[in-house]
Amino acid sequence: MSSTPAPEPASEAIAPFTADDYRARMARAAESAADAGLAGIVVAPGPDLVYLTGYQPTAITERLTVLVLAAGQEPVLVVPTLEAPDAEKAAGAAALTLRDWTDGKDPYAVTAPLLDAGGRFGISDNAWAMHLLGLQQALPGTSYVSLTAALPMLRGVKDAHELARIAAAGAAADRAYGEILKVRFAGRKETDVAADLAGLLLRFGHSQVDFTVVGSGPNGANPHHEAGDRVIEHGDMVVLDFGGLKHGYGSDTTRTVHVGEPTAEERRVHDLVREAQQAGFEAVRPGVACQEVDRAAREVITDAGYGEYFIHRTGHGIGVTTHEPPYMIEGEELPIVPGMCFSIEPGVYLPGRFGVRIEDIVTATDDGAGRRFNNTPHEMALVE
């Protein structure tokens, strides 16, 4: 299969984020932290730092790199001196102050003056323990809580520019699905089809492939099955779940296909999951709790007698990562607001036999309706 990139449609031109965009994000984050009763937030390398500054170190090492944000305080990015030139090139660099430290110096002594010595701070979930412990040793009066717990919607609501990126990523994943239906499945390993999917995502503009789940026959009953050496057979149901990043934002879609003609039961289960996915989508509207999407999809499957075989949440958020808050799950009372983007992906998994999952990325809109970012048919596709 050729890996030559397909031309990008003119309508898909995406303008880069500016320093003003990052300045506004950092200001909102600092205000949100204050509203949550925090003295500020400490952001380590990872998706939060990319979202807030546009900076992603080429290597995440034992050398401390942190962004410190607090209401009424200028944003400061603390970086190792040898990485300062790269940090200065970040799109958001003009919206913050850069403070560097050299090897042999104490980076926590550089960072400590930026923090309230008795404050409680949000800190990136993926911050290294050694860095958190270093901050605590420098400032014993400080305390910390994970950003996901303190500010779960830090990145949750997307603006128009972000929505355009997610739409482009979704359209590219849809094109990949359209092409994968043309390849041969029977007689090939799951890993072969997974490689085809990865190549197609790259071909249609993804810069990063995060996953290519190909679960054939009984392997489809494992929702997170890694593509393996099983040879796909005629008569198999095959779960295809794939996604990655395009323009820095995620795609994630699932369709379940069948090699040859399905049985009546396979059609019945597929139709059931399709109905559940539609019910979840129809529950999406501003003001409704996230758990209502899960409830709507789950009710359809439970009422049909397959409730015990729907073994995961109905959805997850998506943005600069392919999995992030909010989560469509029982107990999540966070209200849906316009600009939230998340998956709706109910499934039925019959151990030792087959599985079915159908997934779209959707958003809530100002007019009260949901919008899909995946628009390939939900009907079962038959492949060879």
Side-chain angles (χ1 to χ4, degrees):
M1 179 178 295
S2 171
S3 60
T4 303
E8 194 139 327
S11 61
E12 204 181 271
I14 301 292
F17 293 122
T18 67
D20 286 340
D21 293 322
Y22 292 111
R23 182 178 290 108
R25 289 179 184 179
M26 288 188 282
R28 285 196 303 270
E31 292 167 4
S32 296
D35 291 343
L38 299 174
I41 63 175
V42 178
V43 185
D48 293 327
L49 187 63
V50 172
Y51 173 77
L52 291 166
T53 70
Y55 176 53
Q56 182 169 341
T58 53
I60 299 175
T61 71
E62 73 283 356
R63 292 186 174 94
L64 180 72
T65 295
V66 289
L67 171 71
V68 178
L69 300 178
Q73 180 176 306
E74 285 298 311
V76 178
L77 179 63
V78 178
V79 298
T81 300
L82 75 169
E83 295 175 9
D86 287 338
E88 290 171 348
K89 297 174 185 176
L96 52 78
T97 297
L98 201 65
R99 189 165 298 178
D100 65 323
W101 61 275
T102 58
D103 284 354
K105 302 295 184 181
D106 182 356
Y108 307 107
V110 174
T111 309
L114 306 173
L115 304 177
D116 179 344
R120 182 171 174 79
F121 292 86
I123 189 165
S124 300
D125 296 13
N126 57 329
W128 283 24
M130 65 178 288
H131 294 152
L132 174 56
L133 293 170
L135 291 172
Q136 288 179 317
Q137 184 174 9
L139 295 169
T142 57
S143 60
Y144 301 86
V145 61
S146 78
L147 277 181
T148 291
L151 300 175
M153 295 310 296
L154 176 67
R155 310 192 312 261
V157 179
K158 277 66 178 177
D159 63 24
H161 300 294
E162 293 178 283
L163 293 174
R165 286 164 166 76
I166 293 175
D174 283 356
R175 294 175 74 189
Y177 175 68
E179 290 298 312
I180 203 67
L181 296 181
K182 301 175 184 178
V183 310
R184 184 163 187 83
F185 281 66
R188 302 177 70 215
K189 294 179 180 179
E190 292 172 341
T191 50
D192 295 332
V193 177
D196 288 345
L197 273 172
L200 287 165
L201 288 172
L202 295 173
R203 174 182 169 190
F204 294 127
H206 280 63
S207 60
Q208 175 177 312
V209 177
D210 285 351
F211 50 89
T212 51
V213 173
V214 179
S216 65
N219 288 342
N222 175 359
H224 280 175
H225 170 71
E226 294 283 346
D229 289 336
R230 183 181 185 276
V231 175
I232 301 170
E233 302 175 356
H234 188 83
D236 278 348
M237 193 84 88
V238 185
V239 178
L240 304 172
D241 183 354
F242 52 98
L245 299 183
K246 180 174 182 176
H247 302 305
Y249 280 73
S251 68
D252 185 1
T253 188
T254 309
R255 293 293 184 264
T256 303
V257 303
H258 199 277
V259 186
E261 285 294 327
T263 66
E265 182 188 20
E266 288 170 332
R267 281 199 180 277
R268 183 170 65 250
V269 173
H270 191 280
D271 287 346
L272 174 64
V273 173
R274 181 158 56 97
E275 181 184 347
Q277 207 276 344
Q278 180 64 25
F281 175 72
E282 291 175 0
V284 175
R285 55 186 183 278
V288 169
C290 291
Q291 66 182 1
E292 295 302 328
V293 176
D294 182 86
R295 287 175 175 177
R298 198 169 300 276
E299 181 179 24
V300 172
I301 292 173
T302 299
D303 287 351
Y306 287 88
E308 66 181 294
Y309 302 112
F310 181 8
I311 56 177
H312 56 72
R313 65 195 176 201
T314 293
H316 58 82
I318 193 168
V320 294
T321 59
T322 48
H323 285 74
E324 62 184 45
Y327 298 105
M328 307 297 116
I329 190 171
E330 181 66 31
E332 180 52 85
E333 298 180 350
L334 187 74
I336 294 172
V337 298
M340 274 187 182
C341 297
F342 47 88
S343 67
I344 300 178
E345 50 180 305
V348 169
Y349 308 95
L350 303 179
R353 301 181 63 204
F354 65 89
V356 176
R357 184 165 65 256
I358 299 173
E359 173 186 17
D360 294 327
I361 299 302
V362 305
T363 188
T365 63
D366 290 315
D367 64 9
R371 172 191 173 192
R372 298 184 194 269
F373 289 114
N374 296 107
N375 295 288
T376 55
H378 288 179
E379 290 77 15
M380 186 193 301
L382 304 185
V383 296
E384 296 182 350

